[in-house]
Amino acid sequence: MFSISEEDLSCPVCCEIFTEPVVLPCSHSFCKECVLNFWEPQDLQLCPVCRTEAPEGEPLVSLVLKNLCAVAIESRAQRQAAQPDCADLCSQHDEECSLYCLEDWLPVCDVCHTYGGHRDHECRPIDEVILDCKERVKSARETLQEKLQTYNTAKGSYEKAELHIQSQTRYMIQHINHEFRALRNFLLDEEEVRVAAVKKEERLKSETVNQKLWDIKAEIETLTDKIRITEEGLETEALPFLQNYEAIMKSAQCSLPDAEMLPGALMDVAGHLGNLSFSVWQKMKGLVKFTPVMLDPNTADSWLSVSGDLTQLTVRDEAQSLPDNPERSTSYQCAWGSQAFSSGVHSWDVLVGGSSPWALGVASETAQRKGKVDISPEEGFWTISLYDGNYTAQTSPFTPLSVKGNPKTIRVQLDWDKGEVSFYDPRDNTHIHTFTHTFTQRVFPYFAHGYIFGPLSIQPSKVSVVVQSN
């Protein structure tokens, strides 16, 4: 009996067992498709091996060679089917591992379960266990993917914050330079000090944001690797998967906290620009403007613009792209003051002009700033408003107010110790409304503005210097 190897039945072009084998006059054999593809771009039909010219036209298929190839293919299939898979056999009993021990986390055969070391253990069919284990790994992978999404979102937030810090820095330096140029040569030294302070804070804030950004990127890489490992594990065969199941599950675990933007990440605009002229006045010993309350741009809604001196609130034609930092209000077109009050009496006048709608008052430091907010004392807001020509105290429900003469300026007065927030018409100090509450937390000035054709302006107070003789 003789045998022909698969190598003898392999095409020299594709190196596979012949498909539709043909024999050329030079005695070399090829797959019909291989030799036709070889001839297609040539003028002459040459043998791909020896370059002997063949007659024109398609070569004839060799039926003998075709039958031998069919036998070789069938023989290969039989050998593969007959070859045992040692990985599926029990190493102790040479029996098929059809069960899985849930106590030792090992594949076992029926003999192991019935008579061997696993006879008292809970065992289940491998087909059932594999489905359950894969579902657990899939669930862990989904958790990793969700965590990755939160970190990608946080990464975008911090990248946006970094750009905004740079924008704030440029803007503040420009404003500071303008103010100090107006004060001429006498204030050059002070100007340099202020700019240096801004740049120092920019460096510190940028370092903090960049460090957090690097940390987040590192965690993203970690999460990505974990997901890759779990996905590779899910793609393995049943028994290798089960053998590595504990390692896969361990890799799929994640103890990382949710990625959230840190409060106070942005530049302290109010600290640098708030009452800038008044701060300089302390060194100049001159007359300056002083505004008792300043706006905090880091709290302003994206539809609002805060003026360079932090005293005017203007409605924009379109929303800005701003970082969604924890301090920023997104519930209404509003902004908060930069300074909180926890004692004493404080008063500020707001020029409302013809602007409507608006709302003025104070808000608790823990009052909600995001999403749908109920503006009422119960939720930490003590405000009055003008809307569609109607003045109301924003209680729940609203309390209508009787206001004469449509005052252009509203005075807000906070007596924290007595627990009163009062509103007046400063033209003749006419009382409009008073809220009473026992304050236990700090409160911030609150401003809401909805009139696109005019600003809401905090009015300066008159400040003078009194010199006393010894």
Side-chain angles (χ1 to χ4, degrees):
M1 182 178 181
F2 69 94
S3 63
I4 300 177
S5 68
E6 289 187 4
E7 182 178 357
D8 295 329
L9 299 176
S10 297
C11 173
V13 176
C14 65
C15 299
E16 298 290 339
I17 293 179
F18 292 115
T19 302
E20 293 293 311
V22 298
V23 180
L24 301 184
C26 60
S27 298
H28 289 120
S29 301
F30 306 93
C31 297
K32 183 178 180 179
E33 184 178 359
C34 292
V35 74
L36 291 178
N37 290 338
F38 180 81
W39 287 347
E40 184 175 0
Q42 302 184 36
D43 296 330
L44 298 177
Q45 296 185 167
L46 303 179
C47 172
V49 175
C50 65
R51 296 300 190 268
T52 301
E53 186 174 353
E56 292 184 0
E58 292 187 2
L60 297 178
V61 175
S62 172
L63 295 179
V64 173
L65 196 56
K66 183 177 181 180
N67 291 336
L68 289 174
C69 291
V71 172
I73 292 174
E74 182 178 359
S75 176
R76 177 199 288 177
Q78 291 176 353
R79 289 196 308 271
Q80 292 177 346
Q83 184 177 2
D85 187 355
C86 296
D88 292 341
L89 298 180
C90 175
S91 60
Q92 295 182 350
H93 307 107
D94 288 333
E95 295 286 337
E96 180 184 359
C97 293
S98 60
L99 300 174
Y100 196 76
C101 176
L102 299 182
E103 294 188 25
D104 296 332
W105 295 98
L106 292 172
V108 299
C109 67
D110 286 333
V111 178
C112 291
H113 180 46
T114 306
Y115 305 106
H118 301 273
R119 60 181 177 272
D120 296 326
H121 296 173
E122 180 182 359
C123 296
R124 290 173 56 194
I126 281 182
D127 291 344
E128 295 180 8
V129 174
I130 192 69
L131 293 176
D132 184 51
C133 291
K134 283 197 173 185
E135 285 302 318
R136 294 181 185 179
V137 173
K138 288 179 181 178
S139 177
R141 180 189 61 181
E142 291 174 0
T143 301
L144 288 173
Q145 289 173 332
E146 291 173 359
K147 185 70 70 174
L148 176 62
Q149 180 61 39
T150 64
Y151 272 81
N152 279 324
T153 301
K155 173 177 171 286
S157 298
Y158 275 97
E159 289 172 340
K160 189 174 184 179
E162 169 64 13
L163 293 175
H164 193 66
I165 287 173
Q166 295 174 3
S167 175
Q168 287 181 309
T169 301
R170 291 192 299 269
Y171 169 74
M172 286 191 292
I173 292 175
Q174 290 173 0
H175 185 81
I176 291 173
N177 288 338
H178 174 76
E179 290 256 336
F180 278 86
R181 281 194 300 268
L183 297 173
R184 294 186 176 89
N185 296 334
F186 183 80
L187 300 173
L188 287 177
D189 292 339
E190 183 70 7
E191 179 183 5
E192 293 176 359
V193 171
R194 297 282 174 166
V195 171
V198 170
K199 291 184 175 181
K200 179 180 179 180
E201 182 176 2
E202 179 200 15
R203 184 178 69 256
L204 296 175
K205 290 291 178 68
S206 295
E207 288 175 355
T208 300
V209 169
N210 283 326
Q211 181 59 50
K212 189 65 177 178
L213 195 56
W214 276 109
D215 293 343
I216 287 177
K217 289 179 179 179
E219 300 301 349
I220 287 175
E221 291 181 2
T222 300
L223 291 169
T224 303
D225 288 342
K226 284 177 174 289
I227 292 173
R228 176 182 56 78
I229 292 171
T230 58
E231 289 179 343
E232 290 176 353
L234 289 170
E235 293 174 359
T236 59
E237 297 297 328
L239 288 175
F241 169 81
L242 291 174
Q243 290 167 349
N244 295 316
Y245 171 70
E246 288 186 278
I248 295 172
M249 280 301 296
K250 183 178 180 180
S251 176
Q253 302 307 309
C254 178
S255 60
L256 295 175
D258 289 337
E260 298 179 349
M261 190 172 181
L262 297 174
L266 303 182
M267 295 290 290
D268 183 11
V269 181
H272 289 287
L273 302 185
N275 289 323
L276 181 60
S277 297
F278 180 76
S279 298
V280 176
W281 160 81
Q282 292 180 334
K283 294 184 179 181
M284 293 179 62
K285 305 300 183 183
L287 261 156
V288 295
K289 290 182 178 179
F290 170 72
T291 306
V293 166
M294 311 300 294
L295 297 166
D296 184 353
N298 292 339
T299 69
D301 178 77
S302 60
W303 284 93
L304 297 176
S305 290
V306 177
S307 63
D309 61 1
L310 310 181
T311 64
Q312 287 192 348
L313 206 57
T314 305
V315 180
R316 298 173 56 88
D317 294 328
E318 58 182 21
Q320 308 170 81
S321 178
L322 299 173
D324 188 18
N325 50 298
E327 300 87 352
R328 192 173 308 282
S329 293
T330 59
S331 55
Y332 295 100
Q333 289 178 195
C334 65
W336 295 42
S338 62
Q339 181 182 359
F341 302 119
S342 58
S343 64
V345 179
H346 310 273
S347 177
W348 56 95
D349 292 351
V350 182
L351 179 64
V352 295
S355 60
S356 174
W358 52 256
L360 303 172
V362 298
S364 168
E365 65 177 336
T366 58
Q368 185 177 343
R369 304 190 186 203
K370 312 288 185 182
K372 187 176 181 181
V373 178
D374 179 17
I375 306 297
S376 67
E378 291 78 11
E379 299 300 325
F381 296 89
W382 297 270
T383 61
I384 67 169
S385 67
L386 172 61
Y387 184 78
D388 282 347
N390 298 314
Y391 292 88
T392 58
Q394 293 187 284
T395 54
S396 183
F398 289 167
T399 301
L401 300 177
S402 177
V403 180
K404 298 180 180 179
N406 292 325
K408 303 299 182 185
T409 302
I410 300 294
R411 177 168 295 159
V412 183
Q413 182 170 298
L414 167 68
D415 190 330
W416 195 94
D417 299 314
K418 290 179 65 175
E420 294 180 350
V421 183
S422 301
F423 302 86
Y424 299 89
D425 180 349
R427 292 177 298 181
D428 53 8
N429 209 32
T430 300
H431 177 256
I432 297 175
H433 185 73
T434 294
F435 290 96
T436 58
H437 179 78
T438 301
F439 294 112
T440 58
Q441 298 178 343
R442 300 190 306 166
V443 296
F444 288 83
Y446 178 87
F447 309 84
H449 187 27
Y451 186 64
I452 197 170
F453 299 109
L456 208 64
S457 303
I458 305 170
Q459 298 299 286
S461 301
K462 292 184 179 180
V463 180
S464 60
V465 178
V466 177
V467 179
Q468 294 181 342
S469 301
N470 292 331

